[in-house]
Amino acid sequence: RLTGLSARAAEGMAGKTAGYSFFVGIMRYALPLVALILLGLIVVWPLMTGREDGFRITYSEMSEVDGSLKMVNARYIGTDERNQPFTVTASEANQPEPNSTVILLQDITADIFMSEEADRWYALTASEGVYERTEKLLDLAGGVTIYSDEGHELVTATAHVDLGRGFVEGDTDVQAQGPLGLLNAGNFRLIDRGEKMFFGNRVKLVVFPGTRKN
């Protein structure tokens, strides 16, 4: 009797196991199908009934991507032909083409000439500019201001900087001030890394009393 009962119990368990496996196999496909049907109803039903509520899919046009590269808080470091360092920083740099050597800069601050031998430096600020990395050329516009450690300050609208050869020049009106006095001119040129300054076109100089060059 015990043997018969055990056999019938084993057959019952085998039947339950097979039934459970069949149920799991059915639900494996049924549940994703039900979820897909419900999702379809959520999307389609508001469209069919004309109601504004519910989940909706809309389409919008995307503007053309020009392929340009942008960087915030950009910094460029290099050396001139005398192996003296210079640094150009900007709040934003825009490279129009991925392989272009031309960089468009915004809010520029730069240490343009530094001489360890003479222990002198020049720095500048400008609203915007264009930097040519290969030739080390920097064209500036918008409130260009040039400072020196000797107390000179030049303000002009535009300027061209050759970082490699060490000179700055501009063809727009310039206002300058320094320890010796005030100066206005129509153009300017700084050569030999600021060791020499030339001014031209309607030059007006006001010398402070009692000042002299050391």
Side-chain angles (χ1 to χ4, degrees):
R1 292 179 181 178
L2 291 176
T3 302
L5 290 175
S6 299
R8 286 194 294 272
E11 292 176 358
M13 291 296 295
K16 290 181 180 180
T17 302
Y20 179 76
S21 299
F22 178 76
F23 175 77
V24 171
I26 292 296
M27 296 305 294
R28 181 183 303 174
Y29 299 99
L31 288 177
L33 181 60
V34 171
L36 183 61
I37 292 173
L38 292 176
L39 180 61
L41 289 176
I42 293 173
V43 175
V44 175
W45 183 255
L47 300 177
M48 294 177 60
T49 59
R51 296 178 59 185
E52 296 295 331
D53 55 349
F55 179 79
R56 304 183 65 188
I57 298 178
T58 59
Y59 300 90
S60 61
E61 295 183 359
M62 184 177 66
S63 60
E64 183 180 356
V65 179
D66 58 9
S68 63
L69 302 176
K70 293 184 179 181
M71 180 188 300
V72 296
N73 299 325
R75 185 177 185 183
Y76 299 92
I77 301 174
T79 56
D80 61 17
E81 60 186 10
R82 296 183 182 178
N83 204 33
Q84 298 293 332
F86 65 82
T87 303
V88 179
T89 61
S91 64
E92 181 178 308
N94 182 8
Q95 188 176 10
E97 298 179 3
N99 297 322
S100 176
T101 59
V102 176
I103 309 296
L104 308 181
L105 305 176
Q106 298 289 331
D107 299 327
I108 302 166
T109 302
D111 296 316
I112 49 177
F113 308 135
M114 292 180 288
S115 174
E116 295 180 357
E117 297 176 358
D119 193 22
R120 296 183 58 186
W121 56 264
Y122 277 83
L124 63 81
T125 60
S127 298
E128 57 186 4
V130 179
Y131 178 45
E132 212 294 330
R133 293 185 299 173
T134 303
E135 301 296 330
K136 301 179 181 179
L137 301 177
L138 185 61
D139 288 301
L140 304 171
V144 180
T145 305
I146 304 173
Y147 306 92
S148 80
D149 63 328
E150 292 188 334
H152 299 106
E153 178 180 317
L154 285 73
V155 180
T156 186
T158 61
H160 173 72
V161 186
D162 191 323
L163 296 167
R165 293 192 293 167
F167 71 80
V168 186
E169 60 183 0
D171 293 327
T172 55
D173 292 344
V174 57
Q175 295 81 43
Q177 63 179 3
L180 294 178
L182 305 176
L183 183 144
N184 292 335
N187 56 57
F188 74 98
R189 183 177 176 89
L190 278 63
I191 64 173
D192 293 337
R193 287 154 185 79
E195 293 293 331
K196 299 176 182 178
M197 303 181 185
F198 296 90
F199 300 91
N201 192 9
R202 307 182 311 277
V203 178
K204 180 179 179 180
L205 175 64
V206 177
V207 178
F208 297 147
T211 60
R212 65 184 181 88
K213 186 180 175 79
N214 294 327

